[in-house]
Structure formats: structure tokens, C-alpha cells
Amino acid sequence: MKFSNGYWLLRDGVQAAHPVEVYDITSAAGQIVVHAPTHPIRHRGDLLKGPVATVRFSSPMPDVIGVSLTHFEGERPKQPQFGLSTVPRDVLLSNDTLTSGALSVRVSRDWRIDFVADGKVLTTSGAKGMGFMSLDGKHYVREQLNLGVGNVVYGLGERFGTLVRNGQVVDIWNADAGTSSEQAYKNVPFYLTNAGYGVFVNHPGHVSFEVASEAVSRVQFSVEGQALEYFVIYGPSPKEILRKYTMLTGRPAMPPAWSFGLWLSTSFTTSYDERTVSGFIDGMIERDLPLSVFHFDCFWMREYNWCDFEWDPRTFPDPVGMLDRLKARDLRISVWINPYVGQRSPLFAEGVEGGYLLRKPNGDVWQWDLWQPGMALVDFTNPAAREWYASKLEALLDQGVDCFKTDFGERVPTDVAYFDGSDPERMHNYYTYLYNQTVFEVLRKRRGDGEAVVFARSATAGSQQFPVHWGGDCESTYESMAESLRGGLSLGMSGFGYWSHDIGGFEGTPDPSLFKRWIAFGLLSSHSRLHGSSSYRVPWLFDEEAVDVLRIFAKLKARLMPYLYHAALQASTEGTPMMRAMALEFPDDPACAHLERQYMLGDSLLVAPVFSDDGEVSFYVPDGVWTDFFTGTEIDGGRWVTMTCDFRTVPLLVRPNTVLPVGAVDNRPDYDYAEGVTLQVYQLTDGVRITTQVAGSTFYIRRSGNRVHVDVDSPPSAWQVAFPDGEDPISGNDNGCTIEDVQ
């Protein structure tokens, strides 16, 4: 929210009070507490008026410092609260400084707060930064943190505008608004900078960010109420910032290996029955197109009955038999659900009787006609409602369903009364957390750790624990393909490890060229789904070349699974996303700061999607000698490169000093990755030693002069080493192998 009218003036009606000096500082129980008057104390008479700011500094874990700014402390604590983890740490306190790990916060008497690490000031809250702001009878708490020259800001959720947030106004408020506006399905009050730190605002409701906009050298954030808490997280690298942020708010669960294969959907409003579904699957099998998951979208249920979790008997009279027949083809089954209950659904009456539906303050069930006539929302703050909702999903799992597309969760009203008394403003964004947690926990309970997966659209901070998330309703245009990529990279910068999108776009029907270009991008993403709105996405409906393109990239992804699975483990254990903005992987290269049309897939693969029919694409290659995965051509980095690609290729470059494990199976994502693996060696520098883990096998590769030697622990029965020079691979054995005369 903007409070200023330019640099000198306040907006009409705004009253502001800012800390101007330190009155006293106390320290106890691992905290520093500062009392700061908002006017100079010149004589005793100045002690009789306020406001006085109470500022507390603490630390939940090393290298993370929390700041709490409060006006009136008598405000009743409001729910919900983000669930945050703490790690035992040694906190050093002095009169004006708190130190946690390598990060310190230092308070100056004339009112300046510096966050310092390794002898360097990271950011500062200076004069008129903190403040209590009043407007139209409402009270807000504001903070402004300094941005240095060249500092850029990323994150704040899945946002579809430019990747760098500088100059933007961002409202943390979930909305069902597609991918073409400043609104977003997944709002996260966390931002990441290239200056060695990130900031998480610990407020689940509406947070307003002005990122180098209202004050162009500051990031401003504010909330309505009497208190504001935020955490400064020191890296210093972007990956370390994400590691610590996801330690604080929760790491992504590891999705099952089968989920990384291709998902095929019925699409949204298309007409389909078992014969249609079987025809699609037969067509995929006949054309040698690997398929892992088949998804039934909305109309698996009868119209107006969403959600009743019952198969439409007119089109699916034998759902259990149908699912058995599909699963006999080694497919997993996904079905669409949402947390809304239409008035015609039998569940509506059940929900009213059981008290499971969200109510107005007067006790009436909250309803409207937008999306489903007379629809209501499940009140997930009610434990009984969660059990009731989960029981409906359990019945589907009993039938043979494997996972759920958890759609919606953004259109959450504020003129309501929750079962547990939660504040409606704070619940608007947090609702999606409870919704997806409920569904994910059903799957985890039934399938076990590592086997639960959802396909979720809405999210907030901490929702990364319940993967996977997809980008929402994009249009079938190159522009929308690009905005989808920006959204995915931004979400990755916000702590989410896995992300997908609708190949070909959701709204409209892509022309064959766009569809084929999007296939390459889609299969070189964390998760891959063919899905549309009013038209099918099976490739033979576009042209025969689309079939070939899909086959090439689906098989490529399957063969890359030893590498991709390791990248997925990094997301789960370290918080590093599988799809990474270039600035995340190359923070010291200033040329990468604003790049948003290319990305790193894992540590070692650079992907530059093609956004034109003619196949011309320009992209930046960081320093070093990179290698074209498809051709073996060496490309000198530190410069921009322009290529023209046919539909069967895309710029896919391998980073120097990479050992890329490529699997022996190309028709499924879940297999023994070590058995028959090929270790493809790229541009090893003399003296370099690399450890590569593939399933239960560990390979140790080192180069000495023109010789490459490989040792192995727990070797598979067959494995080999290859170089991009076109020579035949060299087979290894239980004792490893040595390759001579390496160029």
C-alpha cells in the first residue's frame, strides 16, 4: 500500500509516526527489546505522549534474525499463523547487537537498524523506514529496507510479469486471474535478493509490497493491524538463502518417480467417456509415446454436482472396472477435485447438516453462484470437516485413483466466520494450505512417504511441502508460454521445488508450431502435462510431426531421469528448485540477473525454449566451454548465442565439468536408474574430481592429464562411460575403468 505522495509528502489523510531514537534496550531470553519513541525526547514532558514503538529482535535459527515491530500490544493474537521450524543456535547479545551465526543486527541510538554479515552491511532500516500509518480509520505497520545500487529482488510467489520485481507493486492476495495479469494464484510473502539475503514477512494474510517503487531505493512492506514481523535470512548465496528459508517454512516432499513422466488429460470442457479415454491411450501406445498418468478433469463428475466425488453414471457406468482396465496398462490415475460444493451436490446437504461448510457471521452458509450455482466452501479449520472431506477421497483411492488435481482454493471470501475463529483476512491466502495439506496427507497416509503427489494451483508460504504445483490458466500463445516460464522461475525463487504448466496453453487451441515448441519446454520441466480447456491435446490432432516431437522429448526425459531424480532430491533436501533462474545458479555473473527466457534444469543443463515459429532463439551462455547435448558441438561461453532450431531440437547445453548420468530406459520414468547407465563426460578440467550418485551406485570420476579414471561403489551389473566426440562408449566393471587419450 502506498502512503506517500512523492518523496516529501504523505497521501491525503495519511498520518505517520516513525521511531526517531532509542529510549532503552534490554536483552533477555535470547532477545533484544528496543523501545523507540516516535518523537524526540527533549524533556520530561515528551515522555507523556506516544506512540512508542516496541521492536524485538530474535533468531529462530543460525543466520536468520526476526524483527517484530509493535504499536499496541493488547491486540488479541489472530489465527492462522504460519508453522515455522526452529533450530538450536547460539545467540550473542550485547547492548545494541544480536548475532546469530554470521548475521548480526545492530541498532543505532539515533535510529538506524543495520543487518550485517561478514563485515558488510546487507540492508538497513533507516529514518522513516519503520512506521505506524493511519488512513481512513485503519492502522497499518510498515517497514522499508534499503536496496543498494545494483541490488535486484526476486520471488514473492508465482508472478507472471518480469522476473525482477524492482519497480513493481505486489499484493500478497491469492486470486483466480490466469497468467496474464499482476494477480497470482500463488502469493508468497518472501523475496530473495542478489545482495546476500532474503526477507520473509511472517503474515499469512494481505501483505502489500512496494519493491523499489514508492521509494525507489527501498523495499517497502506493510500490513493492517498493530504488529508486523519479518525475518532477514542471510545466505550469502541465493541457494543458501533458499535452503534456510525452506528450513524455516518447510521443505518440499519428494514426489514419486512415476510423477515425472508424461501426464495426459481429458481437457476441461471437452466431451469424453471411457471410449474416448481408451482411444487416447491406444493412440499413445500405437505411436510409441510414453505415458505415465491419465487425468480425468471436471466432467468425470456430473454437471452441477461438483464436487460430489461420484463418477457420472451416464458416461462412466463402471468406474472401478474402467480404472482396473486403465491400470492394467501400467498407468496412474489422477482426478480433478476442488474445495467448493455446488448446491445441487448431495454433499451440500451433508455439509450443512454436519457443520462442515464455511458460514457467514450470522450462521448462514456462505454461498454464491460464481463457478458453481449456489456453491459453498469446505471449512478446513474444522477437524471434522477435514475428516469428512478426506473420507470422500479415501473412497476414490479404494476405487483405484492414485492422485488428485487440487484445483482452485483462491476465491475465498472475507465476510465469513470460521469454525476455529480464524481471522478471515488471514485465512484468505492460508485456506489453500489447509486444503492441499488435507488432500496430501490422505495420499501420504495411504501411499506412504515419497508416493503422495497432487497437482495444485493455489499456494502460500509453506505450501511447497505439498507438491506438485502448476501454473494455471495460460493462453495458447507464445507470449503466454513466456509468461508461464517467468511464473515458474519466480515460484522457484520462492521456495517451491517442482512446477508444471499446460503444454500448448489452456485457453484456445495452439497452432501446430506453437504446440511443438511448447512440447520441448514442457518435457524439459519438472513435471509435464498435456491439458487444455475446450480442445484435446493428443499430438496427432495437430500433425504427424507433433507426434514425432512428443516422442523425442518424452523419451529424452525418461533417459534423463537419473539426472533429474537427483535434481528432485536436491529440491526436497536443500530447497533448491529443479528449474532454476540463471541468477540462482550463477549469482556472480551480472549478465544473468535479468534473464527470464532460459533456465537451468538441475545443476548442469541449460534450457532455452524457442518462442517463435521460425525457430530462432537467442540466449546467454555463462563462462566456460559448454556442449550442445544433441550435436556435441562445443560453445564458448561468456556471450550471447543465436541458434535456429527445428521442432525436434531446442537449445540444451551441458555445463563444463559435468558427468551426466543418462539412463538405459526411454519408455517410463520409474526404473532402476543405475542399471545400464551411461556416464556422459563433458569438458572435465585437469585435476577435477566429480562424485555422481545414481540410485544405489556412486561413481567417482577424476581427470589427470589426458586420462579419465572412474571408481565405483556398489556398481550395477552394466554401466558405461561416453564422451561427446561420437566415439563408442567404454564399458565399466566392478573395479571401475580408465579412459586414455581424452581430448
Side-chain angles (χ1 to χ4, degrees):
M1 181 169 181
K2 291 187 176 181
F3 301 102
S4 301
N5 177 10
Y7 184 71
W8 305 110
L9 304 177
L10 295 173
R11 286 176 50 194
D12 290 345
V14 172
Q15 294 180 317
H18 306 282
V20 297
E21 63 181 59
V22 172
Y23 175 72
D24 64 10
I25 302 177
T26 60
S27 59
Q31 292 189 2
I32 287 180
V33 181
V34 180
H35 292 94
T38 58
H39 52 271
I41 305 298
R42 298 161 298 183
H43 49 71
R44 282 194 169 186
D46 291 329
L47 300 174
L48 305 179
K49 57 186 178 181
V52 172
T54 302
V55 188
R56 289 180 170 83
F57 301 95
S58 59
S59 175
M61 60 182 60
D63 296 334
V64 179
I65 289 178
V67 182
S68 173
L69 169 62
T70 307
H71 184 194
F72 294 148
E73 294 192 337
E75 187 177 49
R76 178 177 58 86
K78 295 179 179 179
Q79 297 298 325
Q81 303 279 347
F82 287 126
L84 304 180
S85 299
T86 59
V87 176
R89 74 282 180 202
D90 292 324
V91 176
L92 302 179
L93 305 176
S94 69
N95 289 335
D96 59 2
T97 304
L98 180 147
T99 299
S100 173
L103 178 64
S104 297
V105 60
R106 183 175 62 220
V107 182
S108 299
R109 291 277 168 177
D110 57 353
W111 201 255
R112 175 187 172 97
I113 299 172
D114 291 319
F115 295 91
V116 182
D118 295 330
K120 176 184 176 183
V121 176
L122 302 176
T123 188
T124 296
S125 174
K128 296 187 177 180
M130 287 185 172
F132 305 131
M133 323 297 287
S134 298
L135 176 64
D136 297 332
K138 297 180 178 180
H139 187 277
Y140 301 87
V141 185
R142 185 192 80 176
E143 173 65 296
Q144 291 180 337
L145 296 178
N146 184 65
L147 276 181
V149 176
N151 291 174
V152 295
V153 173
Y154 307 96
L156 298 177
E158 179 193 49
R159 317 211 77 84
F160 304 104
T162 54
L163 182 65
V164 171
R165 300 275 86 86
N166 295 45
Q168 298 181 23
V169 175
V170 175
D171 285 309
I172 302 299
W173 193 252
N174 284 358
D176 176 5
T179 67
S180 301
S181 76
E182 63 184 1
Q183 298 180 14
Y185 304 104
K186 308 171 188 66
N187 288 269
V188 180
F190 165 75
Y191 67 85
L192 180 70
T193 75
N194 66 345
Y197 70 95
V199 175
F200 171 55
V201 179
N202 187 22
H203 184 87
H206 184 200
V207 186
S208 179
F209 284 87
E210 285 72 36
V211 185
S213 53
E214 182 169 13
V216 296
S217 61
R218 300 179 183 181
V219 176
Q220 173 177 296
F221 43 92
S222 59
V223 301
E224 185 180 351
Q226 297 291 329
L228 168 67
E229 183 178 46
Y230 67 91
F231 295 91
V232 174
I233 304 169
Y234 176 58
S237 72
K239 287 183 180 179
E240 276 295 296
I241 297 167
L242 284 181
R243 185 181 70 81
K244 293 163 188 173
Y245 167 72
T246 55
M247 186 182 298
L248 183 68
T249 60
R251 293 266 166 77
M254 183 67 186
W258 53 262
S259 73
F260 293 92
L262 183 61
W263 297 48
L264 175 61
S265 167
T266 59
S267 290
F268 171 35
T269 59
T270 52
S271 177
Y272 59 88
D273 54 16
E274 183 178 357
R275 181 178 179 182
T276 310
V277 170
S278 297
F280 287 165
I281 295 169
D282 288 342
M284 298 289 283
I285 294 172
E286 291 165 3
R287 293 168 175 85
D288 189 25
L289 297 173
L291 184 63
S292 292
V293 183
F294 192 86
H295 170 72
F296 291 85
D297 216 65
C298 309
F299 283 95
W300 69 273
M301 292 178 281
R302 185 168 183 160
E303 69 277 4
Y304 291 134
N305 280 23
W306 305 342
C307 286
D308 65 357
F309 306 108
E310 296 288 340
W311 294 86
D312 185 346
R314 299 168 301 176
T315 49
F316 301 108
D318 178 25
V320 173
M322 177 186 66
L323 295 184
D324 285 343
R325 289 186 285 274
L326 294 179
K327 294 174 78 68
R329 301 185 183 194
D330 200 22
L331 289 172
R332 308 285 178 157
I333 303 301
S334 166
V335 297
W336 174 95
I337 62 172
N338 69 38
Y340 310 150
V341 181
Q343 186 166 280
R344 176 170 165 166
S345 168
L347 269 63
F348 184 86
E350 282 187 41
V352 171
E353 182 179 356
Y356 305 144
L357 303 179
L358 189 55
R359 294 184 177 272
K360 299 178 183 179
N362 68 1
D364 294 342
V365 171
W366 184 92
Q367 291 179 264
W368 69 357
D369 288 326
L370 188 59
W371 177 241
Q372 286 290 285
M375 59 153 274
L377 285 79
V378 178
D379 184 350
F380 288 105
T381 71
N382 181 349
R386 295 181 72 162
E387 291 181 10
W388 171 71
Y389 192 86
S391 70
K392 307 301 180 182
L393 306 183
E394 294 260 13
L396 290 168
L397 297 178
D398 289 339
Q399 291 178 357
V401 170
D402 295 288
C403 56
F404 301 101
K405 172 183 169 180
T406 48
D407 206 352
F408 288 88
E410 308 92 358
R411 296 176 179 174
V412 179
T414 56
D415 55 338
V416 290
Y418 282 92
F419 174 85
D420 72 347
S422 283
D423 178 67
E425 182 263 338
R426 297 171 73 93
M427 271 299 299
H428 173 84
N429 294 334
Y430 197 77
Y431 183 91
T432 180
Y433 182 94
L434 296 179
Y435 163 40
N436 279 289
Q437 181 189 49
T438 299
V439 179
F440 196 84
E441 290 303 325
V442 169
L443 291 164
R444 180 147 52 189
K445 181 180 75 173
R446 289 289 297 266
R447 302 289 190 244
D449 288 334
E451 283 296 315
V453 65
V454 296
F455 222 85
R457 189 174 76 175
S458 56
T460 186
S463 295
Q464 66 268 10
Q465 297 171 84
F466 318 123
V468 169
H469 295 83
W470 105 94
D473 297 347
C474 52
E475 298 193 354
S476 297
T477 65
Y478 283 114
E479 291 80 6
S480 200
M481 178 178 162
E483 69 200 19
S484 294
L485 174 56
R486 293 194 297 267
L489 297 182
S490 181
L491 192 67
M493 290 288 215
S494 306
F496 287 69
Y498 317 100
W499 175 81
S500 187
H501 46 95
D502 293 340
I503 294 174
F506 176 73
E507 294 287 357
T509 301
D511 62 41
S513 295
L514 171 63
F515 183 66
K516 287 177 282 193
R517 297 297 184 197
W518 209 317
I519 284 173
F521 168 41
L523 269 299
L524 290 171
S525 297
S526 153
H527 286 73
S528 309
R529 183 176 71 158
L530 293 166
H531 179 68
S533 177
S534 57
S535 57
Y536 303 122
R537 290 292 181 267
V538 287
W540 53 89
L541 296 181
F542 295 90
D543 59 30
E544 283 307 308
E545 187 178 37
V547 175
D548 295 337
V549 172
L550 184 62
R551 183 186 305 111
I552 288 168
F553 285 98
K555 287 179 174 289
L556 171 63
K557 187 173 189 183
R559 294 187 63 225
L560 288 175
M561 275 305 298
Y563 168 78
L564 295 176
Y565 196 76
H566 176 71
L569 285 171
Q570 288 178 311
S572 181
T573 59
E574 297 295 320
T576 305
M578 291 185 68
M579 298 175 66
R580 306 169 188 175
M582 299 297 291
L584 184 62
E585 195 65 39
F586 299 94
D588 298 324
D589 187 339
C592 292
H594 291 259
L595 298 180
E596 59 186 21
R597 297 195 304 272
Q598 62 186 82
Y599 58 96
M600 294 295 294
L601 183 59
D603 298 320
S604 300
L605 292 179
L606 188 159
V607 183
V610 180
F611 295 102
S612 64
D613 287 348
D614 64 14
E616 184 172 285
V617 55
S618 295
F619 54 96
Y620 176 75
V621 183
D623 283 339
V625 179
W626 295 64
T627 306
D628 187 309
F629 177 86
F630 293 107
T631 67
T633 302
E634 296 178 0
I635 298 175
D636 292 327
R639 64 190 180 99
W640 283 82
V641 173
T642 298
M643 294 174 59
T644 300
C645 300
D646 62 24
F647 293 112
R648 292 170 170 80
T649 60
V650 67
L652 179 63
L653 273 56
V654 187
R655 193 174 186 170
N657 286 315
T658 289
V659 175
L660 185 70
V662 177
V665 175
D666 67 1
N667 62 355
R668 60 183 307 127
D670 46 341
Y671 58 92
D672 184 344
Y673 300 139
E675 191 59 42
V677 69
T678 298
L679 304 177
Q680 296 188 176
V681 180
Y682 294 90
Q683 300 294 333
L684 286 195
T685 303
D686 190 15
V688 163
R689 297 171 180 264
I690 295 176
T691 300
T692 301
Q693 292 183 317
V694 184
S697 302
T698 304
F699 300 90
Y700 307 93
I701 304 97
R702 67 181 186 275
R703 177 166 185 167
S704 179
N706 64 351
R707 174 182 296 176
V708 171
H709 187 75
V710 183
D711 292 317
V712 57
D713 288 340
S714 303
S717 62
W719 60 277
Q720 55 190 3
V721 179
F723 295 83
D725 56 9
E727 297 291 332
D728 291 337
I730 295 91
S731 296
N733 55 44
D734 290 356
N735 298 315
C737 67
T738 299
I739 302 97
E740 306 282 356
D741 299 324
V742 176
Q743 298 301 311

